[in-house]
């Protein structure tokens, strides 16, 4: 079963310095029928305006992955980490027993666009951790790049939860296939461009919930940039 979620049906928030498209109930968007997809709790497509961002604030008992689309993200946290990340680079944080962090766009004129993704961990009070990885365009061009896995997986970034994240930038008319294992589900996000996935056409910002399918057949209808999450079917 494939359920398409056009971006026009998603909740949009505009705070001036921050424009967000919420895939799930979050902050001022309250919808008890759309709180999560399995262990995927939050997926926000954020645009942070220049010289602004999220000041120091707490998190706990959540695994957070940030995928940079455009611009540069500057991170700082209570564990002593401070760095900046650009397009295609990824940061993650297992908040566990509690972490404070800040996220800013320090550029004086360019917007920062990113995907902020929250995964429910397998248990509470896990040991906090932070890390990042600087993937290149060639790492994901015309191939699937596994950017996140669980602790037993092969990705450079490992979470506690049983999830895998994949990204790709496919040139127009290129195709790629992904086999879906039994009792797994997929959440698919079209970041840029246009794709056809198992007959469904996605434009920038659209998403798919995919359950009880054996594979994904992905074709780039134009230069296409996407991310999907493979997770347990609950």
């Amino acid at each position: 079963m494939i359920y398409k979620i056009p971006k026009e049906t998603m909740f949009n928030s505009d705070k001036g310095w921050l424009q967000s498209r919420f895939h799930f109930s979050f902050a001022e968007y309250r919808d008890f029928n759309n709180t999560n997809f399995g262990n995927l709790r939050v997926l926000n497509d954020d645009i942070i305006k220049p010289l602004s961002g999220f000041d120091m604030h707490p998190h706990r008992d959540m695994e957070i992955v940030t995928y940079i689309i455009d611009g540069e993200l500057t991170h700082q946290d209570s564990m002593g980490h401070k760095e900046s990340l650009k397009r295609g680079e990824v940061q993650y944080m297992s908040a566990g027993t509690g972490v404070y962090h800040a996220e800013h766009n320090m550029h004086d004129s360019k917007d920062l666009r990113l995907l902020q993704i929250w995964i429910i961990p397998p248990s509470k009070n896990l040991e906090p951790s932070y890390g990042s990885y600087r993937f290149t365009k060639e790492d994901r061009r015309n191939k699937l790049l596994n950017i996140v896995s669980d602790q037993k997986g092969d990705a450079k970034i490992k979470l506690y939860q049983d999830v895998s994240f994949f990204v790709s930038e496919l040139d127009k008319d290129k195709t790629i296939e992904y086999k879906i294992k039994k009792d797994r589900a997929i959440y698919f996000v079209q970041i840029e461009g246009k794709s056809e996935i198992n007959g469904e056409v996605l434009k920038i910002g659209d998403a798919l919930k995919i359950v009880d399918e054996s594979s994904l057949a992905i074709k780039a209808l134009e230069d296409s940039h996407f991310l999907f999450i493979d997770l347990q079917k609950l």
Side-chain angles (χ1 to χ4, degrees):
M1 180 182 74
I2 298 179
Y3 178 67
K4 182 177 177 180
I5 309 160
K7 73 174 182 180
E8 292 81 8
T9 67
M10 298 177 190
F11 184 88
N12 286 279
S13 171
D14 190 345
K15 299 182 183 303
W17 67 272
L18 172 67
Q19 297 169 348
S20 301
R21 184 163 57 245
F22 298 154
H23 287 240
F24 302 100
S25 182
F26 185 80
E28 68 266 34
Y29 168 45
R30 301 297 178 89
D31 183 351
F32 293 108
N33 296 313
N34 186 34
T35 58
N36 63 295
F37 182 65
N39 289 315
L40 173 58
R41 174 61 188 89
V42 170
L43 200 157
N44 295 345
D45 192 326
D46 290 340
I47 297 175
I48 302 172
K49 294 299 181 179
L51 301 176
S52 63
F54 301 93
D55 293 332
M56 199 67 73
H57 61 282
H59 289 286
R60 66 172 298 150
D61 293 326
M62 196 63 65
E63 300 199 273
I64 301 171
V65 175
T66 304
Y67 182 73
I68 316 305
I69 301 169
D70 277 315
E72 186 171 357
L73 171 70
T74 297
H75 166 92
Q76 185 173 4
D77 65 46
S78 57
M79 294 181 285
H81 304 102
K82 186 174 182 179
E83 65 176 340
S84 295
L85 298 163
K86 298 180 180 179
R87 179 178 173 87
E89 298 176 347
V90 183
Q91 72 163 14
Y92 69 97
M93 184 172 67
S94 290
T97 54
V99 173
Y100 282 79
H101 76 143
E103 310 286 350
H104 287 93
N105 175 9
M106 303 303 293
H107 200 280
D108 60 4
S109 61
K110 186 175 181 179
D111 288 350
L112 164 64
R113 183 184 172 204
L114 54 83
L115 296 182
Q116 183 181 165
I117 303 165
W118 293 14
I119 300 293
I120 301 168
S123 60
K124 293 185 177 181
N125 297 317
L126 295 168
E127 182 180 355
S129 65
Y130 173 85
S132 62
Y133 201 84
R134 300 179 187 279
F135 298 102
T136 68
K137 182 175 181 178
E138 288 307 308
D139 289 333
R140 62 185 177 273
R141 186 180 181 191
N142 295 324
K143 68 186 84 168
L144 285 177
L145 173 64
N146 184 196
I147 59 172
V148 174
S149 69
D150 63 9
Q151 297 294 316
K152 297 178 182 178
D154 297 325
K156 299 293 186 182
I157 295 171
K158 292 179 170 60
L159 301 184
Y160 291 109
Q161 187 54 268
D162 179 11
V163 293
S164 290
F165 290 43
F166 294 85
V167 297
S168 183
E169 288 194 51
L170 281 186
D171 295 340
K172 182 180 179 181
D173 295 327
K174 292 286 187 179
T175 61
I176 207 161
E177 187 170 346
Y178 178 77
K179 297 294 185 183
I180 306 172
K181 294 181 180 179
K182 185 179 179 181
D183 297 325
R184 305 295 292 184
I186 303 290
Y187 196 83
F188 191 106
V189 181
Q190 187 69 38
I191 298 172
E192 295 169 313
K194 184 189 292 187
S195 296
E196 181 181 292
I197 300 93
N198 292 15
E200 289 283 353
V201 175
L202 294 192
K203 305 185 300 296
I204 180 171
D206 294 343
L208 292 176
K209 293 178 180 178
I210 302 165
V211 294
D212 298 327
E213 297 283 331
S214 60
S215 64
L216 297 180
I218 305 165
K219 180 179 180 180
L221 301 179
E222 55 191 44
D223 288 353
S224 176
H225 185 192
F226 57 83
L227 175 148
F228 67 84
I229 304 170
D230 181 319
L231 66 168
Q232 294 173 303
K233 188 179 93 172
L234 299 180

